[in-house]
Amino acid sequence: MFYHSTRNKALKVTSAEAIAQGISADGGLFVPESIPEMTAEDFENLKGLSYAERAARIFKLYLTDFTDEELRECTKNAYESGSFETPAVQEIAELADGSMLLELWHGPTCAFKDMALQILPHFLTRSIKKTGIDREVVILTATSGDTGKAALAGFQDVPGTKIMVFYPEDGVSSMQKRQMQTQEGENVRVCAVKGNFDDCQNGVKAIFTDPAMQEALAANGMQFSSANSINWGRLVPQIVYYVSAYVTMLEKGILENGQRFCVTVPTGNFGNILAAWYAKQMGVPIQHLVCASNINNVLTDFIRTGVYDRSRTFHATVSPSMDILISSNLERLLYHMTGEDDAQIREWFGALKTEGRYQISIELRNRIQAEFSGSFWDDAQTKETIGKVFAENGYLSDTHTAVGIAAARDYQAKASEKYPMLIASTANPYKFGAAVLEAIGGTADGADEYAVLDLLQAKSGMKIPAALADLKTKTVRFTEVTAQDQMDAYVREKLGIQ
Ligand SMILES: *Cc1c(COP(=O)(O)O)cnc(C)c1O
């Protein structure tokens, strides 16, 4: 299996090259030349296997230049080394209304990003070796909160790698900030940026694609790669959990063989929901995908109108990991859905850069609407949903997951035909403790992030995850703040290059 760039179909690279490079030099994203299909028998064969074993089998379909042993080693390191608190890695919880929550946050940083970022370092170091380049990998990451910590945890002290994370100074929760500032490891750096997530992301992209910077790196035996969901090595592990969830639902008798179900995903960058779409293309019987957003509702508008317009006010919300106005992974969906029309992708994404908007045809918009619906929910509705779900089920959901639950309920209420609903649950509620506490009738007034943990435990009865409780005793290591136009200088200084 080879990979093309969404902006140059003629480009053909192996999966190792795609993962090592992160983003194509033409600015496009790497996409598989075809999407592998799985049969009922293939799903049947995954029954009874551990998550790590299932993952290795599914990776084999996409990462064909890796050996079975290599893939099994990677999945063992990621999912069977004790970093996930439940042996099943992912869990499925059922609510009283029959909908199911796919809990993806049992990893070391309490957010779904661990599902991919615990394995990406293993893919990446092997990919670098395979491509025959003996260079140190420098991971540059822009984060709206959760990616940063999960990437830091995944890459911490991985030989042959360095990682630098940039986050918006006022755009992450205090717990997320704490998690990053206290990160341990000799190869890690964390820096706040004056601006929002998109400023961080644009800063990182500019550094990434700057030929002078790339030359300086190469002269020092280094090369950049990305841990953002633009990297194929980040996206393919996300496909795995939708396939695995289907198999688990078959095992548990929640679904019958081939029974269709819907999936709702709280999303910002369109990464997690795109992974579900790939799973659908592979043969997982997904009827419809619901794209749930907060009031940064650029995706809802896009799905409804076919116009992607980033020129709008950026809102900081209680679901900060979805405070995003540029949904990078939409480029992959549009590439596949236009029949791999790379010229069209260049035009649209060129327009997005220069004019802040692009418009697809009505015909394509209709095809997208046949597969996706979108809705958005403000902070008051998000908190109301957390409160309702807690009152009805005794189940505590985080702010992002609550956006998903609100969207799923709205979709189900309006749908003419009902299908079982699986909702991606993307973070442990303690990660966004203050908002969750208020949502269930508590007050976080004046309490610091640790006091909030205790208050939430007393009010909800749910246990504080050890990974967050332990932060209190850790030293704050990284407090630097930089302007967006100084990120370049920061990177050069910390890498010791001119
Ligand atoms: C990153 C994140 C999201 C959004 O994920 P996408 O990659 O934008 O789809 C949702 N919820 C949480 C908790 C996250 O950390």
Side-chain angles (χ1 to χ4, degrees), residues 110-113 144-147 176 229 234 238 265-273 321-322 324 329 398 400-401 426-427 431-432:
C110 304
F112 88 90
K113 308 268 190 323
S144 54
D146 291 333
T147 297
Q176 288 176 317
S229 60
R234 195 51 215 270
Q238 298 187 231
V265 186
T267 191
N269 212 12
F270 208 74
N272 202 2
I273 194 165
S321 300
M322 307 196 301
I324 290 173
N329 267 300
D398 101 288
H400 305 76
T401 305
T426 52
K431 251 196 129 157
F432 305 93

